[in-house]
Amino acid sequence: MPIRVMLVDDQVLLRTGFRMVLAAQPDMEVVAEAGDGVEALQVLRATEVDVVLMDVRMPKLDGVETTRRICSEPDAPKVLILTTFDLDEYAFSGLKAGASGFMLKDVPPGELLAAIRSVHSGDAVVAPSTTRRLLDRFAPMLPGGATEPRHKELERLTEREREVMVLVAQGLSNGEIAARLVLSEATVKTHVGRILTKLGLRDRVQVVVLAYETGLVRAGGHG
């Protein structure tokens, strides 16, 4: 079954370009489009969608608030934020609102398609280097920064899981974490899965944000 994609952007030309790229893929189908957040929410009530490509700057209801409302629903589609600027406060707000990642609007088609497939399969799409730079820039806006991690739920994690969480928050891939901790990649994947389950998080992006919010990791990427 093809991945059902919805395009949400107030620029018709941009939606047309994305639609042409996606239509050429045998495993993807554009099932809906919307020009603003209000329309997007209405369309989603009547349409089955797997992944939403979401612009952030739109009239009536911006992409961040639209993302928050979509992600608060049960069995919500995954949201991939599209932004013009790499270090964009909207991108960070979108991740906090529940988006599974963000991409630049001028991303090469191949990267966009790979991102849609990754998000659909349950992975988060934010390049580790971008994650670090985003969080270093926006960490001062987070309520964290306490000397001791203050999130009670973190107490559910084992010492090893906390170690893995810190490295995830620093933007390391499973392979890099495995090398650092001298574990197999499969074991790291298991640890990440347990962290998500214990903390009620959807993906690695939420792990990163929570790690900074609770003070487990601070700006600069140090635990």
Side-chain angles (χ1 to χ4, degrees), residues 44-56:
L44 275 172
R45 279 196 279 271
T47 313
E48 291 278 327
V49 174
D50 299 312
V51 178
V52 179
L53 292 186
M54 178 75 71
D55 184 25
V56 280

Side-chain angles (χ1 to χ4, degrees), residues 154-212:
L154 293 183
E155 294 170 9
R156 298 179 193 167
L157 302 181
T158 64
E159 195 173 330
R160 175 63 90 193
E161 286 164 355
R162 283 168 77 104
E163 250 184 312
V164 171
M165 184 171 176
V166 166
L167 295 176
V168 168
Q170 290 173 359
L172 274 66
S173 68
N174 285 356
E176 291 167 335
I177 294 170
R180 181 81 62 92
L181 299 180
V182 197
L183 299 169
S184 73
E185 205 165 326
T187 301
V188 172
K189 197 169 183 180
T190 300
H191 283 311
V192 172
R194 286 190 186 136
I195 292 165
L196 295 177
T197 302
K198 286 183 179 181
L199 300 181
L201 304 175
R202 193 173 46 250
D203 54 38
R204 294 170 83 96
V205 170
Q206 292 192 328
V207 171
V208 174
V209 172
L210 182 65
Y212 276 78

Side-chain angles (χ1 to χ4, degrees), residues 3-5 28 50-53 71 76-81 95 98-103 111-126 202-203 205:
I3 301 169
R4 298 165 296 190
V5 181
M28 292 185 197
D50 299 312
V51 178
V52 179
L53 292 186
C71 294
K78 302 287 179 30
V79 177
L80 192 55
I81 295 276
L95 297 180
S100 295
F102 71 92
M103 303 288 291
E111 286 185 31
L112 177 68
L113 297 170
I116 292 170
R117 291 183 183 109
S118 293
V119 165
H120 181 248
S121 71
D123 291 334
V125 182
V126 187
R202 193 173 46 250
D203 54 38
V205 170

